[in-house]
Amino acid sequence: MRRHVRLLSVLLTVLTVCGCQRQTPMEEQNSVYYWRTELRLDSTERAFLAAHHIDKVYCRYFDVVMDIPLHADAHAEQQPLPNATIAFADTLPPGIALVPTVFITEDCMHQSHDSLAALVVRRVVQMNRTNGISGVNELQIDCDYTDRSRQVFYQFLREVRAELDKQQPRDITTLSATIRLHQLAMPAPPVDYGVLMLYNTGDPRRFMERNPILDIRDVQPYVRLLPSYSLPLAAAYPVYRWQRQVQGVRIEHTVEASEILSVKQLVEEKRPELSRHILTYHLDKENINRYNNDTYEAIYHH
């Protein structure tokens, strides 16, 4: 009996240690996403980076989308192709790390594609070399994967990791991924950490009832999953607006500062680690001017 008790005690200790390792606290950092097709910063954006002590800019390099054949052969095999590649007309201020971010549409992951991981990694590395970008040590992959595409996407991530390990010199050593709320219910992807997307949380078809950018009622069902999620997490909040035409009427969505801060408090209560690495989506003069300095200070508060 005594032996069983000792074994149980050892097992509980191991599980506790493993749990701590899975949720290693993130380093305290302030970051932003940059989601435009040209990297060019004006004085307002540079001042924002300095004022809020931004450490990292997650910069969308290009999208990967399924090719749509233009010819008449309906049986032609579709392949993933890069799209909307960024142009570098500017550089980041000294001391701010740049993280190449690649958005991959979910339909690209409905089946595996040979060499896709190699092509993505080579394109990122080549873009860095062509544009004289040095000091890059991380790559982020953004994909709204589902149960249908998850296994293919996770295998793709493993292949990306293997391709990064082949690079000489081996500069990019960290691989991260975005995590949407619904993805918290799935096993964690094989990456070093995730960025929890606390935006685009609602159904655009229900815009008369809830703000599709962010509504705390859409976040609440998922917070119970946060404590046990096995991947270290950062948190990203929306500061953008969304405009669209609905039956001839232009609808504009923005998120009140109070809603952002309420969601921040909610998720940090369930997972305090989410207060350590904060991102906003995305860096743009209009977005900066949408909220006052106190709001940004509260968002970035650790």
Side-chain angles (χ1 to χ4, degrees), residues 175-188:
L175 179 62
S176 60
T178 53
I179 306 295
R180 289 156 177 80
L181 288 171
H182 71 90
Q183 294 165 348
L184 290 172
M186 306 177 197

Side-chain angles (χ1 to χ4, degrees), residues 130-150:
T130 300
N131 294 282
I133 299 170
S134 60
V136 172
N137 57 25
E138 179 180 342
L139 172 64
Q140 182 167 108
I141 305 296
D142 177 19
C143 181
D144 189 5
Y145 58 91
T146 62
D147 282 328
R148 174 183 177 182
S149 55
R150 176 175 59 83

Side-chain angles (χ1 to χ4, degrees), residues 189-243:
V191 294
D192 296 300
Y193 72 93
V195 175
L196 182 63
M197 287 176 49
L198 293 161
Y199 54 92
N200 290 350
T201 60
D203 184 343
R205 294 169 298 182
R206 300 177 63 189
F207 68 93
M208 295 297 291
E209 304 169 39
R210 301 185 185 184
N211 190 329
I213 297 177
L214 180 64
D215 188 305
I216 196 168
R217 292 171 292 178
D218 292 319
V219 178
Q220 285 169 333
Y222 298 95
V223 295
R224 63 180 177 79
L225 302 171
L226 284 172
S228 61
Y229 192 68
S230 63
L231 198 64
L233 290 173
Y237 298 95
V239 293
Y240 63 94
R241 68 174 179 173
W242 184 21
Q243 288 185 326

Side-chain angles (χ1 to χ4, degrees), residues 249-264:
V249 178
R250 189 167 73 173
I251 304 295
E252 177 173 309
H253 297 287
T254 58
V255 185
E256 295 292 334
S258 59
E259 189 78 356
I260 298 172
L261 297 177
S262 294
V263 170
K264 176 177 163 68

